Every structure is written in structure tokens, then in C-alpha cells.
Amino acid sequence: MDAFDIEAPADPDLEAPVLVEGLPGVGHVGKLAAEHLLEEFDAELVRRVYSEHFPPQVTVEDGRTTLASAEVYAVRDADRDMLVLTGDHQAGDGPGHYRLTEGFLDVAEAFDVERIFAMGGVPTGELVEEPDVVGAATTDAFVDDLETVGVEFRENEPAGGIVGISGLLLGLGERRGFEAACLMGETSGYLVDPQSARAVLEVLQEAVGFDVGYDALEDRAEEMQEVVERIQQMEQGASAPSDEDLRYIG
Amino acid sequence: MDAFDIEAPADPDLEAPVLVEGLPGVGHVGKLAAEHLLEEFDAELVRRVYSEHFPPQVTVEDGRTTLASAEVYAVRDADRDMLVLTGDHQAGDGPGHYRLTEGFLDVAEAFDVERIFAMGGVPTGELVEEPDVVGAATTDAFVDDLETVGVEFRENEPAGGIVGISGLLLGLGERRGFEAACLMGETSGYLVDPQSARAVLEVLQEAVGFDVGYDALEDRAEEMQEVVERIQQMEQGASAPSDEDLRYIG
Amino acid sequence: MDAFDIEAPADPDLEAPVLVEGLPGVGHVGKLAAEHLLEEFDAELVRRVYSEHFPPQVTVEDGRTTLASAEVYAVRDADRDMLVLTGDHQAGDGPGHYRLTEGFLDVAEAFDVERIFAMGGVPTGELVEEPDVVGAATTDAFVDDLETVGVEFRENEPAGGIVGISGLLLGLGERRGFEAACLMGETSGYLVDPQSARAVLEVLQEAVGFDVGYDALEDRAEEMQEVVERIQQMEQGASAPSDEDLRYIG
Amino acid sequence: MDAFDIEAPADPDLEAPVLVEGLPGVGHVGKLAAEHLLEEFDAELVRRVYSEHFPPQVTVEDGRTTLASAEVYAVRDADRDMLVLTGDHQAGDGPGHYRLTEGFLDVAEAFDVERIFAMGGVPTGELVEEPDVVGAATTDAFVDDLETVGVEFRENEPAGGIVGISGLLLGLGERRGFEAACLMGETSGYLVDPQSARAVLEVLQEAVGFDVGYDALEDRAEEMQEVVERIQQMEQGASAPSDEDLRYIG
């Protein structure tokens, strides 16, 4: 495998699709929202991206393994076609974030994407009953459009900026001529947060034009929370070689 | 030395060998199992892999030094010929894991390996009297074969996936056309675990077809445990330059 | 984007300009001093440097995002023209510091810069009422010139040397034929320190020949301190994917 | 600067010189021993090695800066000519250790070095009144020669192997045809240790054939200890940009 390896299991004709990204992050808001879309709609896998910049890892489900990757699915059940980017990992190192994001933008370019929606959470440090959706975008026009559908743009938020692949989809995307925005649901930051994911999806629903139910969202969040907890348990003495293991000399 | 440097001290004709990997990890199960095979059978060193992705380190035994490496041995005392991959280190960085694993797969390819067995431990966090062997594989056929010899395939285990070189032998191996499986012995995760290594070897024995005794396994585990403890002692004030040393200005 | 990407929004004729650098560091002295110059004088953006060696991040202001970068401004209100280099980040890794600094020196070379002033703080560990400015330089001539304007050169200070881009502007700059000095204001190290920044600017004022007021400096420091604190708050549960998030498996 | 940059201020004819290395490490034994040789003998700087694999840093002495580097000096006051390699830093990353060591071996090769002596400390965790010198070498012949001059070769020491540039001078050196040994003085590991450095030098004295006094060694160790302590103080609030600084957003 080279530094990158992109499979293209399908190459459907899409009409001016938007790219919607949801990868792991605060409150797992973005990933939960992306997974909900993929479950509720017909989704066709169009790209799978492998890279040495992902963690050296396979996931296991029912005994079958899958190499760390990100996936792009085509969804055609909305007013505008969507490409949904999701996966289980951010990059493992700084330059890797840049290189992976450029790879995702290459995919977006190949499908003539013009607008990108990155989804994530913004931590409040306390429980939020009715989470707002905070926004950031690369153009004033995109800011205006999103204000219309209820996104809040605040003077100094998020104070720490937006890091990881969501941030670079905006930063590098702008430099390559995409219009990009990040939709961040308020969340405590401690748990997988279905309320926050729903708030983000309701905004996206208005912006892109689709019709989706939210009944399954809480169950989905609970499942994800269980997985997160199992992994946290595992990681105390986990199957990952610890630093100590790495220095072991037989 | 380039990023990789592979020595080939021998190049025997092997008949459709399987690759068996045991590198440092949880409970040192995989490494202990691999060393046991190499001691109990006639083993011929066929490849030695050096790389800048290993730690910058030599081991010392009786005053003679050996540069960090991984080794591949040929074992022809089983129904199927075996290549046994072992060593003292995982890679030192994420991309290094990918690159080292590709190097190991190159060796496997050169010997016409079709099936790969990665060996390791799965941590339970508590003492296990009669450890099961949990499996993960890249094909349904391999899953079926291993179920026949007593390997358990569980819905959500290991929850954290399989990381390091064992994981990538499956993940990258699958992409290059190998069939690969990981055999993980249950283990507390705290000590070098001969019971767990024996459980893994008993499964491998059935799958590959060999006849091996286990009398020496506990002594071997005790020796390994002593080395592990000596190293842990050493590492409080150890011969490794600490961060502080690295910032020293004379 | 390649490893580096340099935009050149303007290319004014400057007469033997000096390069003045102020990036984040101890007490934010250098960055505060650089920002003060840019606010008090007419400053024209001449270069914007993007790089995968910066953190994978965008900043957000009033809902609009900016990709991590460093900027070089031309200031022509002083006796000698100045290029002022500032930004929000040091490099994320060691080799990245070297590569970014070489990029900045390329810009300096393109504008025929001969002398470089790096600005920063030197930590004292206690509050300093009237901070001195400690210096270090690449030539005896530059040391002599700076002693004339009140810079102190001490036998063994700073004991830890100068790290990051400021240090390399001297170290790599010298190797490329620039004369370079670092002006370090004494500072406690705990807070954004306007007294220290003013002390550094008063020295620079003498050395370069400009006339600037300091009335706005304290307000500017307070604003910067607020941002620093907001970010510290954010980073407990922050929008940055934590290590845990990075290992999440859905 | 490229990844490496080697200056050659002199190129004297040396007769079958040995390479003697002393870089920062446990108890600063190796570096202290190397500096003592350079002070007691006439030493001519023959190579200066810069690299982006060193920390991004300049040292400051009496206001003048020096970019992080390693130096090789020629010493011709011994029975055998010596090249003494010293400096203030190990590499900042794993692959960097490999690449720097190859660079040093290139220098050794250019001077027709056949034997390499790496010097360092082996931590005992307690104060040692009369430190032994523990050895490790790449050939039996070298082991025999060093046993003759009092070096101890122990079954399992050092248990953690030898890491950093000392270790790789043996590991990579052996692969390139050098004979190499490491001389490790027992030391508590907590302080700059002149007794340990003297023990190492007394062995080297026998092996290489030179005549040196040790009167100045304790003063030299005290000076080095002071510098180490000043740096430790500095590093609590130090001039190095902390992680927090690196994430600062203005």
C-alpha cells in the first residue's frame, strides 16, 4: 500500500452533490449524525480510503476484520444529492490530517461537489437540554444561508477554532474553491449525544432538503455509547501494545 | 541503511508454508508462543528485517549486541511448512507499522504463503484459569476452519479491534490476497502468560498439524517475566536517554 | 496543498528591510509586540504561509474561518522598512520547525533582508516590575549595536537556549548569511505580559528607528489574555478530538 | 538546509584513528568523558553536523548563539589517533536516530576508522563508590581485548539494551563493517557523575593508549551539573513554547 489507497466500488452520476462529513469527535455528534443518515436512507458505498496516516488497526465485527479506513457513500434521497463521509478515525499525526483531507477533497472534486458540510460538536462543559447549532463557514454567502435555517454564528466561538479533518475541510477546502461550513451542536462533551446530533441534522435537513425520522437516533446513540465504554474498559490492559510492550526485550 | 534492510541468510524451498507471527503484545502471549515453537522445533533463520521504524536500540546478551530487528524462521517439522515471524519490537510510529507490515508481507509473498496466523493476547482484566482463544479472520472460510478447532468468534470482541502488526497483517494482508487470522488467548494482561500461550498453540497445532510438548513453556515464561521485570527496573533511571537528557545543553 | 504553500498578495519595493518576528511563546511577549506594531502602523500583507507542519486547525472569527498560517506584513513607517512575521502557531513537530523557518528565510531573502530581529520572552518564574531585555545574536557586531540600545547580554542566559522558530531564525539564518538577534523580555511566564512586550519594543524602536505609542498595549494584552483563557477552558472537553476520540471505533 | 548539513572545517591526515563517542545520556557520563578529552588534549574540529533531526534550538553563550549540532574533533596526542564525537543532543525522533548515526558513520568511514568506542553510563539506582565499567561489543575479538583492560561483560546487562546513538553506532556500525564497543560506567543515574566518567576514561586510556590527568574532571562535572540544574529550573515556565503555547490562538 502506498501512503494512500483509494478504492472506488461504485461511480454513480450525482447531480451537484454536497459533501456531508461526520467523523469521531466531541460527543461523537458528527459521527452519530452521519451514521443516522446512512441508516435511514439508501446509501451506496462509492469510495473507501485507506492510509498509513490512520491508526495501525483493524476493527472486528462477528469475527471478521476491517482495516482502518474512511468511507464515502452516495445518498440520493434528498433534494440535493449527498456524499456522506464517515469512518472510525481521525489521522494519527498532524501532517496526516492535511494529507487525508486533501484526499477527501480529491474525491469531492471528482464528483463536482461545490458545498461541504462538516458536522461536529462544540463542548459546553455542562448538560444542554436544547442544544443550539453553532456555525462557521468560509464565505459570507454560506453564513447567510445557514443563519436562515437557524445556525448561530457567534463572535468568538469556538474559541479554540476547529481542529482535525472537519477544520481542514474548511481551511483547505476554501483554498481549493469549495464553499464549506461546519455545523457544531452544543454538547456536554462527556457522552455520545443524540440531542446534539439531532439538532445538527435538523439544520442540515433544512439546508439540503431531506425528510428523515429521528426515532432510531437514541437507540443508535446508546449502542455507540456501549461500544465507547467497552473500548475504554479494554484500553486498561488493552490489546494495543503499550509503550512498555513496545520496549520489551525478550 | 535505507528505511528497510532485509537480510536473507537462507532461502529454503518450502511447500505452501503458513506464516505464524508472534511479536510483543498483551501478556506477551504471541511472542511466547512463537519462541516456544522456535525452541521446540528445528528452525532455520531465513530473513532478518532491520528498519529505522524499529526503536533506536541494540539488545545485549553476554556482552554481544544485536541491532533491533524482526526475524523469520523456517520450520519444517509440521504437516505444513511454517514461517515463524518474531522479534523484540513493534514499530515506533503509526506509518512505521504499515511499512513494516508491508515488508513482512513481501517476505510471505516470496515464499508463496497463502494463510497467515497472527498470535496475541486479549486482555480480560482478571485472572483466567482456562483461557479461551478468541479469533478474528479476513474470510468466512477461515472463520469456519478455525471454529472447527475450537476458536471462539464473538460478536463484539475484541471491542478495541486489533492494533499493531498483528492487526495490519490481517488488514493489509487481506488487501494483498492473503487469508489471515488472529488467534488471541484470553489473559489478565499483567504477566507473561504461559497458559494463554499454550491455549493459542493448541489451536494452531490443530490448524497446522504439528506435535509439540509444553513442558518447557512455563520455564520459558518465567525467564521472559524476569527479563520484563529487569527492564522495568532499569527504566527508572534507565540507559535510555530521557526527555530531560535530550534537552540537556552542555 | 504541498508541504508548503506561500501566497504573495503584494510585492512592494522595500528598502533594505529588517525582518521582525513575533510568534506565540513565553508570556506571549513576541506575539503581543508584533501585533502592536501591526495595529499601530500601516501594515500591508505581503506573504501568507500555509504548511502541513502547522496544527490541523482553522480559527473562527465572527463565523468565518481561517486556515492555520503565518503572515508577513510590510511596514514602511519606520526609518528602516520592516517585514513583520507573526501568526498563531509554532510548528507541530521538530523537523517542521526547521522547514518552516527555512520558508520564512526564503521570504526574507526575496526581500533582501540583512538583519533579523526575533522577539520573545525569557521566563523568570516571578513577577518582574521593570523587565530587562536579554539578547542573543549571531555576530559580535550585532551584539555591540544592541548593547548600545540597552539590551543585556549575559554569560549564561537563557540557560536552556532559544527553541522554536525564534531560535532557528538565528541558527539557520546565520548559516544563510543573515545577521540575526533575539530580543527577550523578562517575564514571569504565566500571563500575557504587556510590560515585557513594551520593553522589547522600546529596544526595537531604538534599533530600527520608529515612533510608536504604547497606550493601547495593555488593552491589547487583556484581550489576548481573555482569548488564552477561553481556549484553556475550551480545551477541557474541547473541540479538538482527544486521544480517546482518535481511538474510537463505531 | 537539507535534512543533513555537514561542515568540514579541517581534513587532517589521521593514522587509523578510532572513533570515540560521548553524547548526553545517563549521568552524563559519556558527554563528560568526551569533553574531558577535548579539554585535556589538543583537539581540532574536523566536522560539524547539523540536522533537522536535532531539536529546533540554539544554545547561547555570552550572547552568541550556536545552532544545535554534533561535532567531531581530531585528537593526535594518543598512541592511536582519535576522532571524538560529542554534542548537546540525541535525535528528536526514532528514525532521526538512525539517520544521524549513519551520518556519523559516514564521517568515520571517510577517516578510515576501524574501531568505535561509544561511552555512556549504566544506571544502578544507588550510589556507587567504585564504579565498574560494563561493556558490550560487536565482535568476540573486541570483547576479549576489552576484558584485558578491565571491562566487565555480564550475562544480562544492560537488560534494557543500549538505546540512542551509542546503541546504533554498534548496531549500524556492525552492519557497515566497523568493530564497535560501548563502555558503560556504573552510575546512580541522578547526577553528572565524574567517578563514572573517570572509570570509563581509564579503560579507554588502556585500550587506546594515552596519558591524561583527572584533576580537572570534578570541576568540569560541577559546572555541567550547574548547567543541568539551571536548565531544569528554566524549563518550568521555560523559553520553549509549551504545548499550550503551540495551541494559542490570538
Side-chain angles (χ1 to χ4, degrees):
Chain A
M1 193 174 80
D2 295 320
F4 286 90
D5 195 353
I6 300 185
E7 285 178 359
D11 232 334
D13 277 328
L14 301 176
E15 201 171 316
V18 296
L19 178 70
V20 176
E21 172 264 340
L23 287 165
V26 185
H28 300 291
V29 172
K31 182 168 167 60
L32 180 58
E35 290 212 344
H36 189 68
L37 289 178
L38 295 177
E39 295 290 336
E40 298 293 319
F41 292 123
D42 283 330
E44 182 183 18
L45 179 64
V46 297
R47 292 290 184 279
R48 192 180 281 277
V49 179
Y50 301 98
S51 169
E52 65 177 28
H53 294 296
F54 283 127
Q57 191 168 354
V58 291
T59 55
V60 182
E61 209 177 315
D62 295 332
R64 290 290 304 277
T65 54
T66 310
L67 179 60
S69 65
E71 295 87 43
V72 181
Y73 294 87
V75 170
R76 276 168 289 189
D77 299 330
D79 291 356
R80 294 194 63 169
D81 288 346
M82 292 193 282
L83 287 168
V84 179
L85 165 64
T86 189
D88 291 337
H89 310 280
Q90 299 271 342
D93 59 289
H97 276 95
Y98 280 83
R99 295 177 198 171
L100 276 170
T101 305
E102 292 287 7
F104 299 144
L105 292 172
D106 289 343
V107 172
E109 207 167 270
F111 281 97
D112 292 324
V113 164
E114 290 178 4
R115 281 199 160 175
I116 296 171
F117 294 86
M119 302 187 295
V122 61
T124 56
E126 54 192 23
L127 291 177
V128 186
E129 296 255 323
E130 297 191 4
D132 286 326
V133 175
V134 178
T138 60
T139 65
D140 289 336
F142 211 165
V143 170
D144 291 348
D145 289 1
L146 290 171
E147 274 184 328
T148 314
V149 294
V151 177
E152 295 201 13
F153 291 86
R154 296 175 184 166
E155 200 185 333
N156 287 305
E157 270 193 47
I162 306 168
V163 302
I165 289 167
S166 292
L168 291 186
L169 282 172
L170 277 73
L172 294 174
E174 179 179 25
R175 291 184 54 66
R176 288 175 60 165
F178 296 93
E179 275 198 306
C182 190
L183 306 176
M184 291 162 278
E186 291 184 326
T187 181
S188 70
Y190 305 129
L191 294 165
V192 177
D193 186 342
Q195 270 73 37
S196 183
R198 178 173 181 159
V200 168
L201 284 171
E202 285 174 345
V203 161
L204 189 72
Q205 180 167 9
E206 291 293 308
V208 178
F210 55 74
D211 200 25
V212 76
Y214 295 102
D215 291 351
L217 191 59
E218 267 187 55
D219 290 348
R220 196 154 286 138
E222 268 173 43
E223 277 168 41
M224 203 179 271
Q225 184 65 36
E226 273 171 39
V227 175
V228 170
E229 281 168 14
R230 258 206 321 278
I231 291 172
Q232 286 169 344
Q233 282 175 348
M234 291 278 297
E235 280 177 358
Q236 294 147 6
S239 76
S242 68
D243 275 8
E244 204 169 279
D245 291 326
L246 289 174
R247 300 174 78 168
Y248 164 76
I249 297 179
Chain B
M1 194 175 80
D2 296 321
F4 286 90
D5 194 353
I6 300 185
E7 285 178 359
D11 232 332
D13 277 328
L14 300 177
E15 201 172 316
V18 297
L19 178 70
V20 175
E21 171 264 341
L23 287 166
V26 185
H28 301 293
V29 172
K31 181 168 168 59
L32 180 58
E35 290 212 344
H36 189 68
L37 289 177
L38 295 177
E39 295 290 335
E40 298 294 318
F41 291 123
D42 283 330
E44 181 183 19
L45 179 64
V46 297
R47 292 289 185 280
R48 195 181 278 277
V49 179
Y50 302 98
S51 170
E52 65 177 26
H53 294 295
F54 283 127
Q57 190 167 356
V58 292
T59 56
V60 182
E61 209 178 316
D62 295 332
R64 291 288 305 277
T65 53
T66 311
L67 179 59
S69 66
E71 296 87 40
V72 181
Y73 294 86
V75 170
R76 276 169 288 187
D77 299 331
D79 292 354
R80 295 193 63 169
D81 288 346
M82 291 193 284
L83 287 168
V84 179
L85 165 64
T86 188
D88 292 337
H89 309 280
Q90 299 270 343
D93 59 288
H97 276 96
Y98 280 84
R99 295 176 198 170
L100 276 170
T101 304
E102 293 286 6
F104 299 145
L105 292 172
D106 289 344
V107 173
E109 206 167 271
F111 281 97
D112 292 323
V113 164
E114 290 177 4
R115 279 199 160 176
I116 296 171
F117 294 87
M119 302 188 296
V122 61
T124 57
E126 53 191 26
L127 290 177
V128 186
E129 296 256 322
E130 297 190 5
D132 287 327
V133 176
V134 178
T138 60
T139 66
D140 289 335
F142 211 165
V143 170
D144 290 347
D145 289 1
L146 290 170
E147 274 183 328
T148 313
V149 294
V151 177
E152 295 201 13
F153 290 87
R154 296 176 185 165
E155 201 185 332
N156 286 306
E157 271 194 45
I162 306 168
V163 302
I165 288 166
S166 292
L168 291 186
L169 282 172
L170 277 73
L172 294 174
E174 180 179 23
R175 292 184 54 65
R176 287 176 62 165
F178 296 93
E179 274 197 307
C182 191
L183 305 177
M184 290 162 279
E186 291 183 328
T187 182
S188 70
Y190 305 130
L191 295 165
V192 176
D193 187 341
Q195 270 73 37
S196 183
R198 180 175 179 156
V200 168
L201 284 171
E202 284 175 344
V203 160
L204 189 71
Q205 182 166 7
E206 291 293 310
V208 177
F210 55 74
D211 199 25
V212 77
Y214 295 104
D215 291 351
L217 192 59
E218 269 188 51
D219 290 349
R220 197 153 286 138
E222 268 173 42
E223 277 168 42
M224 204 178 269
Q225 184 65 37
E226 273 170 38
V227 175
V228 171
E229 281 168 12
R230 258 205 321 280
I231 291 171
Q232 287 169 345
Q233 282 175 348
M234 291 278 297
E235 280 177 358
Q236 295 147 6
S239 76
S242 67
D243 277 9
E244 204 170 278
D245 290 326
L246 290 173
R247 302 174 76 169
Y248 164 76
I249 298 178
Chain C
M1 194 176 79
D2 296 320
F4 285 89
D5 194 353
I6 301 184
E7 285 178 359
D11 232 332
D13 276 328
L14 301 177
E15 201 171 316
V18 296
L19 178 70
V20 176
E21 172 265 339
L23 287 165
V26 185
H28 300 293
V29 172
K31 181 169 168 60
L32 179 58
E35 291 212 343
H36 189 69
L37 290 178
L38 296 176
E39 295 290 337
E40 297 293 320
F41 291 123
D42 283 330
E44 180 183 19
L45 179 64
V46 296
R47 292 291 184 279
R48 194 180 279 278
V49 179
Y50 302 99
S51 169
E52 65 178 25
H53 295 294
F54 283 128
Q57 191 168 354
V58 291
T59 55
V60 182
E61 209 178 315
D62 295 332
R64 291 288 304 276
T65 54
T66 310
L67 180 58
S69 66
E71 295 86 43
V72 180
Y73 295 86
V75 170
R76 276 170 289 188
D77 300 329
D79 290 355
R80 294 194 63 168
D81 288 348
M82 292 193 285
L83 286 169
V84 178
L85 165 64
T86 190
D88 292 337
H89 310 280
Q90 299 271 342
D93 60 290
H97 277 95
Y98 280 85
R99 296 176 198 170
L100 276 169
T101 305
E102 291 287 7
F104 298 145
L105 292 172
D106 289 344
V107 173
E109 208 166 270
F111 280 98
D112 292 324
V113 164
E114 289 178 5
R115 281 200 159 175
I116 296 172
F117 294 87
M119 302 187 295
V122 61
T124 57
E126 53 192 24
L127 290 177
V128 186
E129 296 255 322
E130 297 191 5
D132 286 326
V133 176
V134 177
T138 60
T139 66
D140 289 335
F142 211 165
V143 169
D144 291 347
D145 288 2
L146 290 171
E147 273 183 328
T148 313
V149 295
V151 177
E152 295 202 13
F153 291 86
R154 296 175 184 167
E155 201 186 332
N156 287 304
E157 270 192 45
I162 306 168
V163 302
I165 288 166
S166 292
L168 292 186
L169 282 172
L170 277 73
L172 294 174
E174 179 179 23
R175 292 184 54 65
R176 288 175 62 164
F178 296 93
E179 275 198 304
C182 190
L183 306 176
M184 292 162 278
E186 291 184 326
T187 180
S188 70
Y190 305 129
L191 294 165
V192 177
D193 186 340
Q195 270 73 35
S196 184
R198 179 174 179 158
V200 168
L201 284 171
E202 285 174 344
V203 161
L204 189 71
Q205 181 166 9
E206 291 293 309
V208 178
F210 54 74
D211 200 24
V212 75
Y214 295 103
D215 292 351
L217 192 59
E218 264 184 60
D219 291 348
R220 198 155 285 139
E222 267 172 45
E223 278 168 40
M224 203 179 270
Q225 184 64 37
E226 272 170 40
V227 175
V228 171
E229 281 168 15
R230 259 205 322 277
I231 291 172
Q232 287 169 344
Q233 283 175 348
M234 290 279 297
E235 280 178 357
Q236 295 146 8
S239 76
S242 69
D243 277 7
E244 203 169 280
D245 291 326
L246 290 173
R247 301 175 76 169
Y248 164 75
I249 298 179
Chain D
M1 194 176 77
D2 296 321
F4 286 90
D5 194 352
I6 300 185
E7 285 178 359
D11 231 332
D13 277 327
L14 301 177
E15 202 172 315
V18 296
L19 178 70
V20 176
E21 171 264 341
L23 287 165
V26 185
H28 300 293
V29 173
K31 180 168 169 60
L32 180 58
E35 291 211 344
H36 189 68
L37 290 177
L38 297 176
E39 295 290 336
E40 298 293 319
F41 291 123
D42 284 331
E44 182 183 19
L45 179 64
V46 297
R47 293 291 184 279
R48 195 180 279 278
V49 179
Y50 302 98
S51 170
E52 65 178 24
H53 295 293
F54 283 127
Q57 191 167 354
V58 292
T59 55
V60 182
E61 209 178 315
D62 294 333
R64 290 289 304 276
T65 55
T66 310
L67 179 59
S69 66
E71 296 87 42
V72 181
Y73 294 86
V75 170
R76 275 170 289 188
D77 299 331
D79 291 355
R80 294 193 64 169
D81 288 347
M82 292 193 283
L83 288 168
V84 179
L85 165 64
T86 189
D88 291 337
H89 309 280
Q90 299 271 343
D93 60 289
H97 276 96
Y98 280 84
R99 296 176 198 171
L100 276 169
T101 305
E102 292 287 7
F104 298 145
L105 292 172
D106 289 345
V107 172
E109 208 167 88
F111 281 97
D112 293 323
V113 165
E114 290 178 3
R115 281 199 159 175
I116 296 171
F117 294 87
M119 302 187 295
V122 61
T124 57
E126 53 191 26
L127 290 177
V128 186
E129 296 255 323
E130 297 191 5
D132 287 326
V133 175
V134 178
T138 60
T139 66
D140 289 335
F142 211 165
V143 169
D144 291 346
D145 288 2
L146 290 171
E147 273 183 328
T148 313
V149 295
V151 177
E152 295 200 13
F153 291 86
R154 296 176 185 166
E155 203 184 331
N156 287 305
E157 272 193 44
I162 306 168
V163 302
I165 287 166
S166 292
L168 292 186
L169 282 173
L170 276 74
L172 294 174
E174 180 179 22
R175 294 184 53 65
R176 288 176 61 164
F178 295 93
E179 275 197 304
C182 191
L183 306 177
M184 291 161 278
E186 292 183 327
T187 181
S188 69
Y190 305 130
L191 295 166
V192 176
D193 187 340
Q195 271 73 37
S196 184
R198 179 175 178 156
V200 168
L201 284 171
E202 284 174 345
V203 161
L204 189 71
Q205 182 167 7
E206 291 293 309
V208 177
F210 54 75
D211 200 25
V212 76
Y214 295 104
D215 291 350
L217 191 59
E218 268 189 51
D219 290 349
R220 197 155 286 138
E222 267 172 44
E223 278 168 39
M224 203 179 269
Q225 183 66 36
E226 272 170 39
V227 175
V228 171
E229 281 168 14
R230 260 207 318 280
I231 291 172
Q232 286 169 345
Q233 282 175 347
M234 291 278 297
E235 281 178 357
Q236 296 146 6
S239 76
S242 68
D243 278 8
E244 204 169 279
D245 290 327
L246 290 172
R247 302 175 77 168
Y248 164 75
I249 298 176

